[in-house]
Amino acid sequence: MIERPYDGCGKGLLGVRRSSRMKLVRTSPERQRADVLASAASTGGHIIGWADDWEVSGATDPTTRPKLGRWLRDERGPYDGLVAAAVDRLGRNVVDCLNTGYKMRDEGKLLLTHGHDGPWDLHDPVDENRFTMGATRGACQYRKRSAA
């Protein structure tokens, strides 16, 4: 079962989904769910819960988001890591994405995103740079959409 309660196995992941616009195909709830489940399954993980922040701006600091923030502040119980459909689903700007990534790294938790093979290793400069590029790409795409 890909969705089940936390069991202490080391692979109990929180599924992170966010969208400020529910109708975009690339970021639709269904698409994000499929990507999150695929990423969790690819590493033998399972989803213990969902941090679904719908109609929440990516400019909102992840620690203050209504759903994800409670997990990041350790108010919801144990979890072994986060899995998101893309780096930019963690936050809109590079600083928020990196802060969330470094929190997972420093706490020894897994960090997964769809399209990246296995967990991110933010101790590795190459992986850290790729993660940063993913965050930057998301911020640039947002600015292009806003300017149009």
Side-chain angles (χ1 to χ4, degrees):
M1 254 180 15
I2 191 74
E3 293 182 74
R4 61 180 190 263
Y6 182 79
D7 59 10
C9 74
K11 299 251 180 155
L13 304 169
L14 177 65
V16 177
R17 299 187 295 174
R18 181 198 60 79
S19 185
S20 56
R21 299 180 192 158
M22 296 290 284
K23 299 196 189 283
L24 294 177
V25 173
R26 185 182 78 81
T27 59
S28 72
E30 298 80 15
R31 173 72 179 269
Q32 288 187 59
R33 178 181 172 80
D35 291 347
V36 165
L37 292 173
S39 295
S42 74
T43 62
H46 63 278
I47 302 299
I48 61 153
W50 293 92
D52 291 340
D53 287 312
W54 304 127
E55 302 295 327
V56 173
S57 168
T60 304
D61 180 331
T63 61
T64 65
R65 283 172 30 188
K67 304 292 182 172
L68 178 58
R70 296 184 340 192
W71 288 92
L72 293 176
R73 294 188 308 266
D74 297 322
E75 297 172 0
R76 293 288 309 200
Y79 64 103
D80 300 314
L82 302 177
V83 58
V87 174
D88 69 345
R89 296 298 88 198
L90 297 172
R92 179 173 301 143
N93 68 54
V94 175
V95 172
D96 285 344
C97 291
L98 284 171
N99 284 342
T100 302
Y102 291 149
K103 177 177 176 52
M104 296 299 102
R105 178 199 66 191
D106 295 347
E107 294 179 3
K109 294 183 178 181
L110 299 170
L111 179 60
L112 303 161
T113 59
H114 186 72
H116 182 268
D117 290 334
W120 287 98
D121 178 2
L122 297 183
H123 288 99
D124 174 23
V126 173
D127 233 15
E128 182 182 41
N129 284 336
R130 288 181 63 210
F131 185 82
T132 303
M133 288 187 316
T136 302
R137 187 172 34 255
C140 290
Q141 288 172 349
Y142 169 76
R143 285 188 188 95
K144 282 183 191 175
R145 285 192 306 270
S146 295

